[in-house]
Amino acid sequence: MDLHRCRFVPYPPSAINALAFSHPSSLTTSSKGSPTLRLAIGKANGDLEIWNPLRGAWHQECVFRGGKDRSIEGLAWTQDPEEEDKNGFKVAGRLRLFSIGYSTSVTEWDLATGRPLRHASGNYGELWCMAAQPRLQVTPNEDTMTINGVEMGIIRYQSLVVGCADGSIVLLSTADGDLQFQRTLTRPPKRKARVLSITWQNRHLVIAGHADSTIRVFDTRNGQQIRSMSLGAGPQGGPKEILVWSVKCRPDGTIVSGDSTGTVSFWDARHYSRLQRITSHKADILDLAISANGETVFSGGMDRRTTLYRQTAGSKPGEKKRWAEIAHQRFHAHDVKAMAVFETKKTSILASGGLDTTPIIVPVREFGREHHRTLSSLPQQPPVRSAPRKGLLVSWWDREVNIWRILRSKGSHDAAGVLEGLPHPPEKKLVAKVLLRGAESITSADVLQDGSLLAVSTLSDIKMFRLRERLDTTMSLRKIDLPDELAKVGAKAIQVSPDGKWMSLTTNNNKIQLHRISKLESPKDIPRVLPQPINLRRLPRKPALSNYLHGSLGAYDRSIIRTAFSANSRILVVGDLAGHLDTWVLEGNEDLSQDPPVTSLDNRHRSSSASSLSSSSSSSSSASDSEAHPTLIYAQHWRRNPTAHLIPKLPSAPLIMSFRPANPFTPSDALTNGTTVHPTRHTPHPHSHDLPHDEARLFILTAEHQVYEFDVLAGKMTDWSRRNPTSTLPPDFRALRDRAMGCVWDIAAPSSSSASSPPPVLSSTGSSTAGRCQERIWLYGSAWLWMFDLSQDFPERADEDASEGDEEQLASNSNKKRKRGNRQAQSLARIDDIPSKKKEKQKRRKIQESGAGGTIPAYEVNAGIGRSMRKTVGPAGDEARIFALGQGGSDSTSTDEEEDEDVDEDNEPSSALIKLRRGKQATTTGLADEKQKAEDGVEMMAKGEGEQEKEKERRPYWGTYKYRPILGIVPIGEGGSSVEVALVERPMFEVDLPGRYFGDQEWEERKDGGGGVI
């Protein structure tokens, strides 16, 4: 594979301003969290990201695009009260997400469509902070409560409280699925001190931090101010007022505040007097986070520190516990602006973010005993496309599209071998740029393979441009007039088929629309999109049943996240977050002599009425009507795949869906006479029922890095997938923590024969003979690149791994349930010189990770901050205390004997079954294996040196961590002996960031651009 490293593609990541978990912490939950648990991340450019912790996999599910002059400064989740259906069963309440952003409106988001659902605004200033009321903890049958001798109905919904720039505090109601103004707690004072932070002490008391060195307490029942707590004057030589950037409350009601002097203050819950203060930061503290049991406090600020505090026993007998700074680390490269904590018995994590645009996951209870984890700041779906026939690279961000031409240079190198040497930068040229009007950001874009057409989508409209080459090697763009059925529909994703005849749209309400693109007869012709849309209907699915206490995400799980066309453009597959796959096929043979369809009022009414049906019976009748009267376009029509119902549901969301390209070096026996069906007097509207006969092998990689390959037309797994389950993948690949982003195929002729040679023949073991073709797939994430050769099987597991897997399988069969193993704890680092590496791995398999990084090995735990810290007290330093790290309370830790509610059944086949599928005896002895190895060695000795090198290159897999961070990899050349790709990197040191704070003992190079001194 010839590879070009590209760092010139612009993609500026946006700062993280807000973080919020969908569920509160609960130490009574024995699993790693609810299946509906999500992390929302608000960006400075208005984007809203939804992350799924996925038991430690951390998958970025969706990105709700923002727009011009938009920003998200605060986030809050609420859960509606559970209800009863007509059968008397509990129905989970809906989870709702709200945001604010330098305006007077609170926005509620529709999670299924990714668009704002409703807004609430009023006659008050800009909103600076927001907090959701704690959930009411009552018994299911309890409907009333007594307050001051008066029996009142229990208010089960959660209210929102917001603080404004003019000093006012407003209460909003979320009752009845709405968002309405409820009351104003306080009027703006004369000084109009901004409300910078706000939180709930309980369901009735609100704590607000202001910009006038004051913390105020309000009662939401009567709107009165209960107490005012002053922080005093500002530091000498600095501002007179202290800014209270963050206030939080412990479970016992103790108030914790962080201010602009770098001080953390602890306040009594009843008398509101200051108990203690600790000056632990060199600059402003911007946010705080408190563990579920209240024994651990984290603070983050402008000095990039993340500081840990815990209560410690006094040095003298009978002395009260005091808060102390235990440790601090600089996980971030810039200001830490937002923090959020989530804990259960088996999960204990802190999520933080700031101006460096990178989310960080830090262990709470296992602080110092587990690694932290850095999530990627780049999108899960690469914002790059290519036109390989013209060598064009297309990238987009916000409202801008850039088109580059990549020329083949001497710097390109072969990545299939050992990747020796550093490549030179490729010859590139910016040939076109598109700036979209309006306020909506681009959601998706695609380009034809010949570079003649560019399609761009936002949430409100679709735009298409005609691309033509100029004499000066640049390109001219001309906007194409689209029919109203297409221009104003808006889409979350857009994709053009490989032959350039069909364009697929994933609409905001997760519907699939297909549009036919007319073929160009000459380069001067303007492409045309037919006005008749084709609405494809998905199979009806029953929502997964969940505990009503976990809440419901509604139709969010049915959001379409991946779309794939087959190589011949006659099969379309879509996948959603729940793991369901829907497939359609194109029937008939193309006949351009027929007239294109004309959109009639009856067809428009039928399509609009069919799309508005919600019940399953209505949708099934409309689907049958569509099958009986299909929309014919040039004698072809799309219909549901007859074997679509046979394709099983995936265990998690698909990250990669790509059809394996047809092998051009293997003759195909799929013949067609190309005849079409013409109308007659008895059949005025005939249509052909010819289905595609080519190979339809769909490669899928899920969010848990499970590999599957399906024969879509047959509705079953392929033989290769049955012989190579996920358990046969390399351990280093299965231990990857960063999720996959995309793939590139590399199909090449056999090295020992020409293209006209006979096709390869698979042996009984599944491996091909000497003349086999190369069928490689390159998978990549933000920090890794792996190659798998699908023309051969993966090596079998070692005897120890196979026996261990068989023992786990037997335990699973006997107990019916087993705890989920921590496969990600294996092969985290290659340390070949450690003799006890094998024993260390066995120990780490038994450790339940908290959801952040991997467990720190015993031989590394003494490096860095270690397990404990010695801190001296007093000016003389004669007193010293030892503080242990990772002590989060005995009630929070889980033992190995505890049963995990989130049990995963091990459906992976055993090693014996894998050998049977590969044509081997299940009772193959070690002597036979040694004999086979000896024969292979003799055969290798008989070969020449050149053949041995070629044999080494035919490795079944290969991986590297050399390229990072990867924005995307796309093919940019065709017709050569190997595929030519552009690897787009976007390192953070090239991103322009505002100046940051430098402490007294930081000797880093201070640059004016992006690294100036504050």
Side-chain angles (χ1 to χ4, degrees), residues 507-525:
T507 61
N508 301 329
N509 55 356
N510 294 298
K511 303 292 184 181
I512 297 296
Q513 276 191 8
L514 284 177
H515 296 265
R516 176 62 191 258
I517 302 175
S518 64
K519 199 70 175 178
L520 301 179
E521 298 180 358
S522 66
K524 296 183 179 180
D525 292 344

Side-chain angles (χ1 to χ4, degrees), residues 2 39 88 140 191 290 353 396 435 487 663 733 804 815 849 876 915:
D2 295 333
L39 172 65
R191 300 178 59 183
I290 301 177
W396 67 90
L435 297 176
N663 197 329
F733 178 79
E804 182 179 349
N815 300 329
E849 298 179 0
K915 291 180 180 179

Side-chain angles (χ1 to χ4, degrees), residues 27 71 133 209 256 281 304 308 345 385 453 511 516 567-568 658 758 906 913 1000:
L27 296 179
S71 177
Q133 189 178 22
V256 186
H281 288 259
R304 298 177 287 143
L308 168 68
K345 283 188 176 181
R385 295 291 187 271
L453 185 67
K511 303 292 184 181
R516 176 62 191 258
N568 60 1
S658 180
D906 191 1
L913 182 57
D1000 298 335

Side-chain angles (χ1 to χ4, degrees), residues 4 74 121 140 148 160 240 265 268 284 376 382 468 473 552 631 680 692 863 870 946 971:
H4 298 277
S121 59
N148 297 330
L160 295 177
K240 296 182 179 179
S265 301
D268 184 73
D284 298 39
S376 176
R468 290 186 59 187
T473 68
S552 171
T631 302
T680 63
R870 181 177 182 271

Side-chain angles (χ1 to χ4, degrees), residues 707-753:
V707 175
Y708 302 97
E709 190 180 50
F710 293 100
D711 187 343
V712 175
L713 296 180
K716 63 179 183 180
M717 295 178 63
T718 62
D719 294 337
W720 179 91
S721 184
R722 292 170 58 84
R723 296 194 310 267
N724 298 271
T726 304
S727 59
T728 62
L729 294 177
D732 289 343
F733 178 79
R734 287 185 289 155
L736 291 173
R737 295 185 179 273
D738 294 332
R739 300 296 92 184
M741 298 172 58
C743 69
V744 175
W745 289 95
D746 184 7
I747 308 297
S751 57
S752 60
S753 62

Side-chain angles (χ1 to χ4, degrees), residues 261-273:
T261 63
T263 301
V264 175
S265 301
F266 298 87
W267 308 80
D268 184 73
R270 293 185 57 187
H271 306 289
Y272 301 106
S273 59

Side-chain angles (χ1 to χ4, degrees), residues 801 804 808 820-822 825-826 838 840-848:
D801 295 339
E804 182 179 349
E808 292 181 355
R820 182 177 183 85
N822 291 312
Q826 307 175 24
K838 179 180 177 181
E840 187 66 30
K841 278 187 177 181
Q842 295 176 354
K843 293 179 180 179
R844 286 157 62 188
R845 287 194 188 104
K846 302 178 181 180
I847 299 176
Q848 291 288 342

